[in-house]
Amino acid sequence: MTKRFIPVVLAAFLPLTATAAPLTFNTEDWFPYNYTKNGKVVGSSTELIKLIGKNADVEYEIVLGPWNKSYTEALNLPGKCVYTTAVTDERKPLFKWVYPIDTTRLIIYKLKGKPLTASSLDDLKGKKIGSYTDDAAAEFLKSKGFTVDEAPADNVNPKKLVTGRIDAWITTDTSGLKLAKEAGVEVEEVMVAHEHPLGLACNKSVDDAVIAKMQKALDDLIASGEADKIRQSKFQMQE
């Protein structure tokens, strides 16, 4: 998921002791999971990813860029992975996975004061709903038979609510209010559409043994409580 028109590409090389070819962990600017601060890729998911790499003894680099490029490379190029990626039924067979890194809720928002209500997704059939290209929210709605107005980046959608190009906007609970505030647009929640686990999605060329080591590293972080502490840190980042 990308939130900027101008791609920002950062590479953080993290040499470790593994002898296999380094993996590339692609990501995007999606606060508070993965974003840049003082020229470095940070965020709650990034912190977990770094621990997974370290504890699994996997050599890797982190590259931040636009979501559609990050996702497409992981889908098509050997040795590429992408995070923080929503784990969906459609995506599961396309990648090898390490998850759950976190979870996210998909929220449908409307322009504040707009007379739009819904108690289920069926109530929104026929409405113009905005999302952005290759995003899990867009995929989810299309799987339910919706036609989605897809922007090149999610930060375009609050203004599309103002102009009336879309009736509603589906995005994540961690992104929606922040992007709307940055755009100077007041929005209101219509309903929770869905909840997704989030993970690291790797190209199917990545060795099963490497995936297993990374999954065990994540499982150990979850069992120790360390993963949950890191996940909770994203709420402090937003304060």
Side-chain angles (χ1 to χ4, degrees), residues 37-123:
K37 184 177 181 181
N38 299 324
K40 295 181 180 180
V41 185
V42 297
S44 58
S45 291
T46 299
E47 188 173 345
L48 265 174
I49 286 292
K50 288 180 177 179
L51 280 175
I52 290 167
K54 177 182 177 182
N55 295 348
D57 196 27
V58 172
E59 188 177 0
Y60 65 96
E61 62 170 343
I62 293 176
V63 177
L64 186 147
W67 170 251
N68 54 352
K69 180 177 184 291
S70 298
Y71 179 88
T72 301
E73 284 190 356
L75 182 63
N76 296 306
L77 299 180
K80 302 279 188 176
C81 304
V82 61
Y83 77 95
T84 305
T85 309
V87 184
T88 67
D89 290 341
E90 294 78 16
R91 289 176 175 174
K92 273 186 178 180
L94 302 178
F95 298 95
K96 293 181 179 179
W97 293 90
V98 178
Y99 78 102
I101 290 174
D102 210 320
T103 59
T104 188
R105 296 190 310 158
L106 300 181
I107 308 293
I108 294 179
Y109 292 99
K110 65 178 180 178
L111 192 65
K112 186 174 181 180
K114 185 179 177 69
L116 176 66
T117 59
S119 57
S120 71
L121 282 176
D122 286 342
D123 295 336

Side-chain angles (χ1 to χ4, degrees), residues 69 87 127-128 130 208 220:
K69 180 177 184 291
V87 184
K127 300 296 183 182
K128 295 178 291 183
D208 286 343
D220 289 347

Side-chain angles (χ1 to χ4, degrees), residues 56 58 96 98 205-216:
V58 172
K96 293 181 179 179
V98 178
S205 68
V206 177
D207 190 271
D208 286 343
V210 173
I211 297 294
K213 286 198 301 180
M214 292 194 293
Q215 184 64 58
K216 183 180 185 306

